[in-house]
Amino acid sequence: QYPNIECFTVPVFPRMIRDGELIRILYDAFAMSPAVHPSQVCIEVSADILYEDTETVKARLEEIRELGVKVAINEVGDEYCPFFKLSSLPFDMIFLDGYATDILDSSEAEQVMGGLVQYLKSFGVPVITMNSGKIVEQYHNDNPKSAYEIAW
């Protein structure tokens, strides 16, 4: 669970969404554990999902969200993420991996990440920047929060 996100994140493979397998798993899990409300769960899928058939994936993600489960796109910012397809899918938050700029010097990394965060904020969902698996900053509604503020 990431701090201040108010849900448990569960990593899933894109094929589980594409094939419709995940929605069946979620229905079964919530039936077996009625104390867990779907709003407490967030599936975390890698940006690889953007390479799947957009219409199929969009329908599956909408079905998952209608159940009340949140959707996060992870690994946004790596060299294999087709940003132009992000706007075609429904999601509730974005995890922006910092390792994509690890090879850049600090001023260059700040410039690249700053521009990318501005673009991603245009989707109107929280953008959480990650570095080595730790939250660096969380952006939402033009208010960046430092890792310290997020943790406390």
Side-chain angles (χ1 to χ4, degrees), residues 108-143:
E108 204 175 5
E110 285 180 30
Q111 198 172 25
V112 169
M113 292 298 276
L116 187 53
V117 165
Q118 289 302 316
Y119 168 69
L120 295 172
K121 282 177 19 181
S122 72
F123 292 106
V125 299
V127 177
I128 297 100
T129 58
M130 308 290 288
N131 198 343
S132 302
K134 297 180 181 162
I135 292 178
V136 177
E137 271 187 304
Q138 178 175 339
Y139 297 85
H140 191 55
N141 296 332
D142 294 328
N143 290 325

Side-chain angles (χ1 to χ4, degrees), residues 12-20 45-61 73 80-82 84-86 88-90:
V12 298
F13 293 108
R15 70 168 170 72
M16 294 174 75
I17 294 169
R18 178 194 64 223
D19 298 343
V45 63
S46 77
D48 293 347
I49 193 85
L50 299 170
Y51 289 104
E52 300 286 338
D53 174 57
T54 303
E55 291 307 311
T56 300
V57 169
K58 181 179 180 180
R60 300 278 195 253
L61 291 178
I73 305 288
Y80 302 110
C81 178
F84 65 93
K85 291 185 84 175
L86 275 172
S88 62
L89 296 179

Side-chain angles (χ1 to χ4, degrees), residues 6-69:
E6 300 173 1
C7 61
F8 289 96
T9 57
V10 180
V12 298
F13 293 108
R15 70 168 170 72
M16 294 174 75
I17 294 169
R18 178 194 64 223
D19 298 343
E21 179 183 351
L22 183 60
I23 194 72
R24 290 187 298 275
I25 291 170
L26 289 170
Y27 275 115
D28 290 347
F30 294 131
M32 290 188 313
S33 303
V36 177
H37 192 272
S39 67
Q40 296 172 296
V41 177
C42 175
I43 61 160
E44 183 179 335
V45 63
S46 77
D48 293 347
I49 193 85
L50 299 170
Y51 289 104
E52 300 286 338
D53 174 57
T54 303
E55 291 307 311
T56 300
V57 169
K58 181 179 180 180
R60 300 278 195 253
L61 291 178
E62 286 173 347
E63 189 176 6
I64 289 167
R65 291 177 78 210
E66 285 173 9
L67 185 61
V69 174

Side-chain angles (χ1 to χ4, degrees), residues 91-111:
F91 52 88
D92 301 289
M93 63 189 79
I94 297 173
F95 293 114
L96 179 63
D97 288 335
Y99 69 83
T101 58
D102 284 349
I103 59 171
L104 304 173
D105 69 37
S106 62
S107 64
E108 204 175 5
E110 285 180 30
Q111 198 172 25

